[in-house]
Amino acid sequence: MAQYRIGEFSKITGLTVKTLRFYDEQGVLKPSCVDPENGYRYYDAELLTRARAITLLRSLEFSLTEITDLLNRSDEESFDVLDILRNQQDAIRLQIARYQRIDAKLCQLFEEEQETRQMAKHETFAVEEKTVESQLVAGIRMKGRYSDCGEPFARIGKSLGRYINGKPLLLHYDMEYREDDADFEACMPVSKSIEVEGIDIRELPAGRCVSLLHRGPYEELRTSYAKAFDYVQQKGFEIQIPSREVFLKGPGMIFRGNPKKYLTEIQLFIVE
Amino acid sequence: MAQYRIGEFSKITGLTVKTLRFYDEQGVLKPSCVDPENGYRYYDAELLTRARAITLLRSLEFSLTEITDLLNRSDEESFDVLDILRNQQDAIRLQIARYQRIDAKLCQLFEEEQETRQMAKHETFAVEEKTVESQLVAGIRMKGRYSDCGEPFARIGKSLGRYINGKPLLLHYDMEYREDDADFEACMPVSKSIEVEGIDIRELPAGRCVSLLHRGPYEELRTSYAKAFDYVQQKGFEIQIPSREVFLKGPGMIFRGNPKKYLTEIQLFIVE
DNA sequence: CATACGGCCTCCAGTAACGGGAGAGTCAAC
DNA sequence: GTTGACTCTCCCGTTACTGGAGGCCGTATG
């Protein structure tokens, strides 16, 4: 009977010496005998089959414990290969589905990013009038400083993250732009209405508005607001509260990004 | 500025306390301040955004080191989200492809197993005559005992495992059934001819043969051989060497299985 | 004969992203 | 004063290995 030393056995099976020692320790593939003098491992030809089976099963993503178990039970009466293959296939397909969901998510993010880039192409932005569709949003209203809006956004994201399908927005319930003690509502467009404590889910009405894109950090928003309000006054429009501020691109998205590139849309709704 | 303790922050973000401490240690998400007296971590609302981003990126299978790096570089000029998303998508699609290959392999094994089961359905087997197609095989010829055939099979499997597309077979170059010092060749059907040292790849000719299925351990093969030779003599056929032995189901496949269920086909080729 | 080299051994550490648990300090309420 | 909830640090375990240190064994070469 041919006896191989670990190095030769490694070359034949394609398993590294380290791996073979590890398999020995784990009981998956024990050498046929071990020299008690120097501890050398010796493998015989019979073990090649087992090694092949292990390699195959590993390539099918079975764990070592599963493999050990399967190989030990494989001569039992109740042992059914088809069952095992089916189970493993189920597990593998779950993985495929998981990765496909990730892929879809990446696609979506990719498209969104491209869209906002398209919008941000212009050098400067002009005030314009436009009509906005109604949309379902989840909102948390609060008083305080705008910089505190991170928390309500995070709360919404936590509870309804799965259903968010648009850019975050802020509703301003004050007539003018205020720094401290403002009355505002952090909103996220959602696809589904789910009751959550402390979050108000409702349909935001459609309407006609004066819109202005603003590029740059939020500290400079005031100048854009001034431009928008100028336009409103010039046209003699009457403005409705709340006004909206849509964060097309900002720190709340994925990356902090460059504040000079932040993109925000101011929407002042017209009473008709 | 609202300061959250780790427990509250955990509830808001959905990250466990353990995870938050781990993120702190890894530098992915450091608390805004740490009480030097008691070591308590305090998180402020600003970090909620970062936590959200981390959760999102984790769900897209970015590693923590990647995330740290991305979040740190995200305000640089050269930072391009689209690039990053594309790269990650490539990585994810590799995973999908990998799992799909595994899935296909499982399907294949599944079908093969079902086929042999179909063949093994009968209680007893009768000698029959049939025509066998030609097939490309990789073989290693040797002299010795049949029980030593594990090694050549393993060697073929190691070099050509990717191209194996059928059941292993043994060619017998002796005129009668021998135990020791037999002259035989271990063969594997392969889909591609690749030159490998010590392995002979060639087309096995088609031909008409006397075939008999044998169920049970190899030690009992002799009785089946006797039956087949009886038939040959009765018909007055002349037999060609080598004869073939196809292992439809045996220990060399995946699992050792139950020797009582081993299935072997004896093929004695007729000189026409 | 000494030594260098390759092969083998054991033991330890590290990987990724946490989870579990021990043992101890902290804080507010009752 | 005490209870219970919360927090801290430190260490171990997970999976399937890989890498390295330090040392034994057998053979080939100077």
Side-chain angles (χ1 to χ4, degrees), chain B residues 100-117:
Chain B
Q100 277 172 344
R101 271 196 302 277
I102 295 175
D103 187 49
K105 218 163 167 182
L106 281 165
C107 279
Q108 190 196 325
L109 290 171
F110 197 89
E111 276 175 32
E112 281 176 17
E113 174 68 15
Q114 275 189 325
E115 262 176 48
T116 49
R117 282 201 188 183

Side-chain angles (χ1 to χ4, degrees), chain B residues 61-127:
Chain B
E61 296 267 295
F62 284 90
S63 73
L64 287 186
T65 20
E66 285 171 322
I67 293 174
T68 315
D69 184 53
L70 291 178
L71 291 177
N72 288 342
R73 291 193 306 113
S74 68
D75 47 1
E76 280 176 18
E77 202 55 46
S78 63
F79 181 82
D80 189 358
V81 191
L82 289 184
D83 267 0
I84 288 152
L85 292 177
R86 221 187 325 251
N87 285 342
Q88 188 66 3
Q89 199 165 42
D90 288 348
I92 293 295
R93 289 191 173 165
L94 270 181
Q95 291 299 311
I96 293 179
R98 202 170 70 83
Y99 279 112
Q100 277 172 344
R101 271 196 302 277
I102 295 175
D103 187 49
K105 218 163 167 182
L106 281 165
C107 279
Q108 190 196 325
L109 290 171
F110 197 89
E111 276 175 32
E112 281 176 17
E113 174 68 15
Q114 275 189 325
E115 262 176 48
T116 49
R117 282 201 188 183
Q118 202 60 35
M119 291 189 68
K121 258 190 176 169
H122 308 281
E123 270 309 300
T124 59
F125 305 110
V127 182

Side-chain angles (χ1 to χ4, degrees), chain A residues 4 11-12 117 151 158, chain B residues 4 11-12 80 151 158:
Chain A
Y4 305 104
K11 270 175 202 141
I12 301 174
R117 282 201 188 182
E151 184 208 344
K158 209 215 136 186
Chain B
Y4 305 104
K11 270 176 204 143
I12 300 174
D80 189 358
E151 185 210 343
K158 210 215 135 186

Side-chain angles (χ1 to χ4, degrees), chain A residues 5-7 21 39-41:
Chain A
R5 292 205 306 189
I6 200 166
R21 282 201 269 260
Y40 276 32
R41 293 171 177 83

